[in-house]
Amino acid sequence: MRHQRWFTPWVLVIPALTWLLVFNLWPSINTVILSFTNAKPLGGGTFVGLKNFETLIQDEQLRWALLNSVIYMVVCLPFLTVLPLLLAVLVEKKLPGITFFRTAFYTPVVASAVVVALIWQWILDDRGLVNGLAEKLGVISGPLPFLSDQWLLLLSAISLTIWKGLGYYMIIYLAALGNVGRELHEAAAVDGAGPLRRFVHVTIPGVRGTMILISILISVSALRVFSELFILSGGKGGPGGRDNSVVMLIQQYSQGFEGNLGYASALSIVLFFVTVVPMLVLARLNNRGAQA
Amino acid sequence: MSRSFGFNTISPREKVARYILLAFVLLITIGPFLWQLSTSLKGSGEDIYTRIPRLLPSQPTFDHYKAVADTIPVWDYARNSLVVAVLVVGGNVIGASLAGFAISRLQFKGRKLVLGLFLATLVLPGEVTIISQYVTVREFGLANTLFGVALPGMIGALNVLLMYNAFRSLPIEVDQAAIVDGANAWQRFVFIGLPSVRGTISVVAIFAFIGAWDDFLWPLIVLTDPDKYTLTVGLQYLSGTFSNNPRLIAAGTMIAFIPIVIVFATLQRFFFKGVEEGAVKG
């Protein structure tokens, strides 16, 4: 039964729906269309058939970017699924001052990736805090090239992403922990299970669904990385452009007279498939686990 | 609401162990920000590269904050970021609550389809469509404008779904009673719907603000004119073009960082309340 004029719901929905159509759905379609052109950032461009996709296959920078993305994802996954859960357990108990700690742990999340990357650039500088301390302690004789070596730069960006993500996933786990029944913990404790066994047998199964969701979020955001690598590499993508991510390549082709929005769109399609794969795999794992 | 391990009481030993761990994590998460703040306040004559790091500046000064403003128009950039953030917050709070209310509380043909459309866009990472979004904004004549930066994010699909979820938890009997009393859809939205979803609205607003203030890739693509930069793009411009002085860059990062921390610290209780209400479940 309706209790309003037929158009009332539509009046309320239309702004949001317009945005969805103009800024989500149409760009999705247009990305595919653009990928068959050589559209320029300042306008113009013609249909070029499959040329962009032929270029993709031979693009060495893309190969590095994809390799970097996979490394990024594989390293981030274990750290960011486990550490934030431990943090959530740590801040779950309402001790005096716990709100302060929760807020403080969340601070890296609310800071811009640009801000934290510039901070880390200074900390990891040849004469920065980390190298200074390590030299002082005699662990190394010369500064480690955190920001100029291909692999160290990638590793530095990964560490930064992990550090910045801790608080974000901690909060999601914290919400999930609230739904793990207290009775289960108490029952397990009565049965003589210590904190470690209760963590493994009560807490982890209790947040299993959240863990899968978080794994999906981590994988997708690792594959979409941009700001950390961009800033730490000074916008250059590391030595020989070997520290680019797919999104960095998209950005590089989006600007200037050399830019090519057609090729950038073809790269966007690669990004789409790359990010959808882990989503499907992990969602499938979740389904199978739920049935078992 | 203590829902932690076992029982309400914890031993003094566990308490101490927990505080030690908390302090350790605090050092890791907050330490880098303090280090940057300290660097930004250290005098030009002070050795910032010293082997034994000193957290407290020996010649504290605000000079570098002034120097940033002499190098790049940093206060204009801050204003630009604020303009974009306010537009995005306003758009999302209004647009997402209206749509979320209609989809969850009003009956109409095509409701399921509309909901499905919003859900479907969630699997699409924003970066995938960023290039064609730029083309759309350019067609509107909004390339290289702040409005062009704000526009696409002004009603986010995720926020519509968050509001939908929040309105849905309100019992349907309340609506029916209001209908019997002769309240129209608009009155039910304003007097029944909105007051009951304040927690989620604040979460939407906080995240819209933080997201817009912190965003880097999108303004980097849209803005070409250094006069129009937002803070994040301007900071990259500062560090890439002008300066190798860590004190100056540190001061610049603090100008971008401190406002967002103040916003978050002031509103954090709404945020954590929203978390408990289930507004942040991914």
Side-chain angles (χ1 to χ4, degrees):
Chain A
M1 213 173 39
R2 284 185 291 150
H3 304 282
Q4 73 272 329
R5 281 164 295 187
W6 70 269
F7 57 81
T8 307
W10 290 103
V11 171
L12 302 185
V13 163
I14 267 174
L17 205 55
T18 310
W19 251 259
L20 189 77
L21 296 175
V22 177
F23 296 110
N24 284 103
L25 287 183
W26 165 243
S28 314
I29 300 165
N30 200 26
T31 301
V32 179
I33 299 174
L34 284 168
S35 70
F36 294 105
T37 71
N38 63 357
K40 296 287 164 210
L42 302 172
T46 51
F47 181 77
V48 294
L50 288 170
K51 185 169 164 292
N52 289 327
F53 294 94
E54 285 160 13
T55 316
L56 273 183
I57 296 167
Q58 288 153 17
D59 188 339
E60 203 199 340
Q61 292 218 323
L62 175 63
R63 254 173 273 162
W64 281 111
L66 287 172
L67 178 66
N68 292 338
S69 301
V70 172
I71 295 173
Y72 225 100
M73 185 176 82
V74 170
V75 181
C76 282
L77 259 177
F79 285 104
L80 279 179
T81 34
V82 176
L83 292 179
L85 177 58
L86 298 177
L87 279 189
V89 171
L90 183 64
V91 300
E92 190 197 10
K93 187 150 258 172
K94 294 213 163 156
L95 296 168
I98 202 68
T99 312
F100 164 73
F101 285 105
R102 288 180 183 179
T103 313
F105 296 175
Y106 201 77
T107 309
V109 182
V110 302
S112 168
V114 174
V115 166
V116 296
L118 286 170
I119 292 176
W120 279 63
Q121 195 174 42
W122 168 225
I123 289 176
L124 297 173
D125 188 90
D126 280 355
R127 296 194 285 166
L129 188 62
V130 171
N131 273 318
L133 277 177
E135 279 182 61
K136 180 72 194 161
L137 296 170
V139 187
I140 50 171
S141 51
L144 288 175
F146 288 112
L147 304 173
S148 47
D149 175 80
Q150 182 192 347
W151 298 111
L152 276 177
L153 179 59
L154 185 66
L155 203 67
S156 303
I158 291 173
S159 322
L160 167 52
T161 301
I162 292 172
W163 174 78
K164 194 178 186 320
L166 289 175
Y168 180 72
Y169 300 110
M170 172 190 86
I171 290 294
I172 301 181
Y173 274 129
L174 196 60
L177 284 178
N179 300 328
V180 180
R182 244 189 97 192
E183 306 74 29
L184 274 176
H185 275 297
E186 287 174 3
V190 169
D191 288 347
L196 187 66
R197 288 193 58 188
R198 275 178 289 158
F199 179 73
V200 173
H201 295 291
V202 180
T203 306
I204 291 187
V207 297
R208 193 177 164 281
T210 308
M211 218 172 214
I212 302 258
L213 172 76
I214 283 181
S215 316
I216 295 177
L217 294 175
I218 295 165
S219 312
V220 173
S221 60
L223 297 168
R224 294 161 56 186
V225 66
F226 173 73
S227 306
E228 291 96 322
L229 266 175
F230 184 92
I231 298 287
L232 285 187
S233 71
K236 297 185 185 72
R242 288 179 176 176
D243 280 311
N244 278 311
S245 68
V246 181
V247 179
M248 279 171 78
L249 292 178
I250 292 175
Q251 187 270 336
Q252 280 164 23
Y253 283 101
S254 76
Q255 280 175 325
F257 297 106
E258 307 279 295
N260 183 344
L261 298 185
Y263 191 63
S265 300
L267 286 167
S268 305
I269 291 173
V270 172
L271 180 68
F272 173 71
F273 282 110
V274 170
T275 49
V276 160
V277 170
M279 259 193 267
L280 293 178
V281 170
L282 286 163
R284 203 185 156 85
L285 269 179
N286 190 27
N287 284 340
R288 202 182 292 162
Q291 282 159 12
Chain B
M1 247 200 342
S2 158
R3 275 172 165 160
S4 205
F5 289 160
F7 311 101
N8 284 327
T9 52
I10 57 171
S11 66
R13 245 177 64 192
E14 189 190 333
K15 215 171 186 174
V16 170
R18 276 178 177 265
Y19 276 114
I20 290 173
L21 278 171
L22 286 168
F24 174 69
V25 180
L26 186 68
L27 180 72
I28 293 174
T29 48
I30 296 299
F33 294 107
L34 293 180
W35 182 241
Q36 191 81 343
L37 178 65
S38 151
T39 305
S40 77
L41 297 172
K42 282 177 181 165
S44 296
E46 199 171 331
D47 182 10
I48 52 172
Y49 300 108
T50 169
R51 289 275 189 89
I52 304 162
R54 297 172 54 100
L55 186 61
L56 291 180
S58 60
Q59 307 156 7
T61 170
F62 283 107
D63 285 356
H64 309 305
Y65 288 82
K66 250 185 283 163
V68 172
D70 293 339
T71 316
I72 55 169
V74 69
W75 304 115
D76 290 348
Y77 293 172
R79 196 202 52 216
N80 292 347
S81 287
L82 190 65
V83 167
V84 171
V86 167
L87 284 171
V88 170
V89 169
N92 276 295
V93 166
I94 298 168
S97 356
L98 288 175
F101 178 79
I103 302 170
S104 63
R105 315 295 299 183
L106 303 178
Q107 302 293 321
F108 61 100
K109 261 201 189 117
R111 197 179 70 95
K112 286 254 163 65
L113 177 72
V114 171
L115 181 62
L117 279 177
F118 281 105
L119 275 170
T121 56
L122 287 190
V123 296
L124 198 70
E127 289 83 356
V128 168
T129 54
I130 207 157
I131 292 297
S132 49
Q133 228 167 52
Y134 171 69
V135 172
T136 305
V137 165
R138 192 187 67 194
E139 301 293 305
F140 289 163
L142 294 172
N144 196 25
T145 65
L146 288 176
F147 192 58
V149 175
L151 191 67
M154 279 175 65
I155 308 180
L158 179 64
N159 292 330
V160 173
L161 291 169
L162 281 174
M163 293 313 302
Y164 161 79
N165 218 12
F167 281 117
R168 216 172 41 152
S169 57
L170 192 65
I172 195 79
E173 290 77 19
V174 182
D175 270 11
Q176 286 163 348
I179 290 166
V180 170
D181 289 345
N184 64 29
W186 180 251
Q187 289 164 329
R188 298 198 309 270
F189 172 68
V190 173
F191 297 112
I192 300 171
L194 282 184
S196 67
V197 296
R198 273 179 297 194
T200 309
I201 288 184
S202 43
V203 169
V204 165
I206 294 169
F207 272 105
F209 189 91
I210 293 174
W213 183 272
D214 288 350
D215 196 13
F216 178 50
L217 176 59
W218 174 243
L220 183 67
I221 288 177
V222 175
L223 301 172
T224 44
D225 184 353
D227 286 345
K228 293 184 180 147
Y229 283 171
T230 57
L231 263 178
T232 52
V233 184
L235 277 182
Q236 185 262 330
Y237 180 58
L238 172 73
S239 82
T241 318
F242 290 106
S243 179
N244 288 316
N245 183 354
R247 301 174 188 86
L248 198 66
I249 295 167
T253 52
M254 282 299 128
I255 293 173
F257 173 64
I258 290 170
I260 204 78
V261 168
I262 292 174
V263 167
F264 184 69
T266 320
L267 301 176
Q268 51 85 13
R269 62 200 173 91
F270 296 106
F271 171 72
F272 288 110
K273 212 176 103 201
V275 171
E276 280 173 12
E277 284 171 11
V280 188
K281 269 188 192 148

